[in-house]
Amino acid sequence: MQWFRTSNHPSRLLLYLEWSLLAIALLTVFNPLSPPSSSKFPRHLFEPPPPRERQFRPNHRLNRDFRPPRRFPRRPPRRQKPRFLLGTLFSILTLGLIGLKLPLHQRSSTLKGVYTVLGFGLSGLAVFWGSRGATLLGILLLVVVIRACVLFPWRGRIFVAFCAYLSFLILVFLRVRWVGIPYIRSTASEDMIFESIQWVIFNLTFSSALLFGFVLVFVVLLVGTLLSEQQSRQELAQANQRLREYAILVEDRAILQERNRIAREIHDSVGHNLTAQSIQLENAQMWLKTDQEKAEDHLQKSRQLARNALQEVRQSVATLRSHPLKAQSIETALAQLIQEFEQTHNIQIQTKIQLINLLSNDTKINLYRVIQEALTNIYKHSQAQTVRLDLSEDSLGIYLKIEDNGVGFNPAENTTGFGLEGMRERVKALGGIFQLNSEMGKGCKIEVKLPK
């Protein structure tokens, strides 16, 4: 565990796999059952002997009884020790230690290539100073290929795997020339046995080369799959983290916008009514001793202002706490909204709603809020007598138009229009277009176009 903490290896599983392969390589070096080194075998023993001529003697009886002297096989040579054991151990351990620090964050591939070549060099030195075994080279080359899969993309991985396989083939087929039978051959039957064993050795060599190729392909695909899965998990974790951050930002922004809206509501409605009520109460106090009728009139106006303020507070609280549609269709919800608006504010609304298809919940809620905010602004600021509301739909999109005959205003001078900004943001969230046209004395017109 401490090794992994001090290293920059991206995968703990691959790091443990590398160290396991290096441990197997060390066991291969010290394996007492490994075959002897072929360098001790005399070269003339591995070539078919020349055909022997039969010797004749004058005495035919002796010739019939003549038997060639029995020749016993030589004792197989002892296993050759590694040429330089410390060099072999140094190469294997160095190959393992350099795996703790991989050049992962290098943009240039030159350092990564030098790192990979160093791995090939250490593997070759370990085999040269050791027993020249193909097994040892194959194990060390697997370690180099695993690290190449971590460092390079797929093209680099395939190239390094091809170089490793080529190195393995060169060593294996060079060793075939030195493989033989450490026995003296003299008869034709022994020659046949020699040729059969050579054929078996060739088949085993070809099978080992083919098996190592399959192992390389499996390792490259396995490591690539593991790294892809790990990268996908990291990207998913980063995406989730960004989503959480965005959710917090959106929540904070929504809270801020809602606070601004509530502050504007209190300032425009409740604050205005309370200010007017305070003025009426001061007037009533001023006329209380001299003119009772005027004082009573001012008191009556102050009571009406208090009722209006209370109604505004209740309406704001109801808007915040209740769902705008309550599982109703937008036609039904708009009919109730328009009816309440006409009864409360005594402003007539000419409505024309022509919807073909059912709208999504987000579209319905945002349209309802836009219409609700527009009617609220008309009541508070426009001094209008009539309002025209058109909501239609065709194959291209959804269209909304709200127009009044009020006093109008200059949109360029409206710096505190939180309601208008909220309508724009709702329409923009749906991918639509929001347009506002107004002039002093000519009313106001709002047009919304939403895509299908």
Side-chain angles (χ1 to χ4, degrees):
M1 185 67 67
Q2 188 66 26
W3 291 342
F4 185 77
R5 292 177 181 176
T6 57
S7 69
N8 63 342
H9 205 288
S11 175
R12 182 182 303 176
L13 177 62
L14 296 180
L15 181 62
Y16 291 163
L17 179 60
E18 292 178 7
W19 283 95
S20 300
L21 291 174
L22 293 174
I24 296 174
L26 292 176
L27 293 178
T28 303
V29 173
F30 293 100
N31 184 14
L33 300 178
S34 60
S37 175
S38 58
S39 61
K40 289 295 184 179
F41 293 163
R43 185 177 180 85
H44 70 276
L45 294 179
F46 312 127
E47 298 177 353
R52 299 184 57 190
E53 296 182 358
R54 187 173 181 181
Q55 297 179 359
F56 294 94
R57 294 185 180 183
N59 192 340
H60 297 285
R61 183 180 181 85
L62 292 176
N63 287 337
R64 287 194 303 268
D65 295 339
F66 176 76
R67 297 289 186 275
R70 185 178 180 183
R71 299 187 180 186
F72 296 93
R74 294 182 181 181
R75 177 178 298 176
R78 296 181 180 179
R79 177 181 178 273
Q80 183 188 14
K81 296 181 180 180
R83 293 183 176 182
F84 186 37
L85 182 60
L86 292 179
T88 303
L89 296 178
F90 174 78
S91 300
I92 295 177
L93 293 179
T94 304
L95 182 63
L97 291 176
I98 64 174
L100 296 177
K101 297 296 181 181
L102 301 177
L104 295 174
H105 304 290
Q106 299 294 330
R107 296 183 178 180
S108 176
S109 59
T110 304
L111 183 59
K112 297 180 181 179
V114 172
Y115 184 88
T116 305
V117 172
L118 178 61
F120 276 104
L122 291 174
S123 302
L125 286 178
V127 175
F128 177 76
W129 283 331
S131 60
R132 294 184 180 178
T135 304
L136 177 61
L137 180 63
I139 295 173
L140 298 180
L141 289 179
L142 285 178
V143 176
V144 177
V145 170
I146 291 174
R147 293 174 183 174
C149 292
V150 177
L151 295 176
F152 298 101
W154 279 104
R155 183 178 300 179
R157 299 172 188 175
I158 295 174
F159 178 75
V160 174
F162 175 77
C163 293
Y165 186 62
L166 186 62
S167 303
F168 183 82
L169 288 181
I170 292 174
L171 179 63
V172 167
F173 284 101
L174 283 178
R175 283 178 57 85
V176 172
R177 299 178 54 190
W178 299 95
V179 175
I181 313 299
Y183 297 97
I184 297 177
R185 301 169 299 279
S186 59
T187 63
S189 61
E190 291 177 352
D191 293 340
M192 294 178 61
I193 294 174
F194 173 78
E195 293 176 357
S196 300
I197 295 179
Q198 277 190 331
W199 179 251
V200 171
I201 293 173
F202 177 78
N203 288 335
L204 291 177
T205 304
F206 179 77
S207 300
S208 63
L210 188 62
L211 179 62
F212 184 72
F214 282 124
V215 171
L216 277 179
V217 173
F218 175 76
V219 168
V220 171
L221 294 178
L222 178 62
V223 176
T225 304
L226 290 176
L227 294 176
S228 299
E229 183 182 359
Q230 183 178 6
Q231 184 179 3
S232 299
R233 289 199 300 267
Q234 292 177 355
E235 292 177 354
L236 181 60
Q238 294 176 0
N240 290 333
Q241 181 65 27
R242 288 195 297 268
L243 286 176
R244 285 192 290 267
E245 294 176 357
Y246 292 157
I248 293 174
L249 291 177
V250 170
E251 183 180 1
D252 293 340
R253 184 175 180 181
I255 293 174
L256 180 60
Q257 290 179 351
E258 189 65 19
R259 287 176 178 174
N260 292 334
R261 193 186 71 81
I262 294 174
R264 182 182 60 82
E265 292 285 344
I266 294 175
H267 177 270
D268 293 344
S269 60
V270 180
H272 172 74
N273 291 327
L274 292 179
T275 301
Q277 183 185 19
S278 177
I279 294 174
Q280 296 296 333
L281 290 176
E282 291 178 357
N283 293 332
Q285 183 180 8
M286 183 179 61
W287 294 103
L288 183 61
K289 295 181 179 179
T290 58
D291 194 341
Q292 295 290 332
E293 294 182 358
K294 289 184 178 181
E296 183 67 26
D297 182 59
H298 288 301
L299 289 175
Q300 182 65 27
K301 291 180 180 179
S302 67
R303 284 194 295 267
Q304 183 62 35
L305 291 172
R307 285 193 293 268
N308 292 338
L310 181 60
Q311 183 180 0
E312 292 288 345
V313 171
R314 289 176 178 176
Q315 184 177 358
S316 300
V317 172
T319 303
L320 291 174
R321 297 184 59 182
S322 63
H323 192 277
L325 299 181
K326 297 179 181 179
Q328 298 176 348
S329 64
I330 189 170
E331 293 87 351
T332 306
L334 288 178
Q336 294 179 359
L337 176 64
I338 293 170
Q339 183 180 2
E340 293 176 0
F341 182 83
E342 291 178 342
Q343 293 177 356
T344 305
H345 307 298
N346 195 20
I347 299 176
Q348 298 298 320
I349 300 178
Q350 299 177 5
T351 307
K352 183 180 179 181
I353 300 177
Q354 294 179 350
L355 296 177
I356 303 174
N357 301 317
L358 294 177
L359 305 180
S360 62
N361 290 330
D362 292 339
T363 304
K364 291 190 296 184
I365 293 175
N366 284 298
L367 279 176
Y368 182 88
R369 290 301 190 190
V370 169
I371 296 172
Q372 184 184 41
E373 185 66 28
L375 295 179
T376 302
N377 290 337
I378 290 172
Y379 157 67
K380 292 181 179 179
H381 309 291
S382 68
Q383 302 179 11
Q385 300 298 323
T386 59
V387 179
R388 180 177 179 82
L389 189 152
D390 293 337
L391 180 60
S392 60
E393 179 185 4
D394 58 15
S395 59
L396 298 178
I398 302 171
Y399 306 91
L400 171 65
K401 184 171 67 173
I402 304 174
E403 187 175 3
D404 64 73
N405 61 350
V407 296
F409 66 98
N410 186 3
E413 298 178 356
N414 184 22
T415 59
T416 60
F418 297 104
L420 295 176
E421 185 65 25
M423 286 190 286
R424 287 193 181 94
E425 292 178 355
R426 290 183 182 275
V427 174
K428 185 178 179 180
L430 297 176
I433 300 174
F434 179 87
Q435 293 181 351
L436 185 141
N437 298 315
S438 179
E439 294 181 8
M440 297 299 297
K442 295 184 179 180
C444 178
K445 181 171 69 174
I446 294 174
E447 293 180 342
V448 174
K449 179 181 179 180
L450 301 178
K452 293 287 285 188

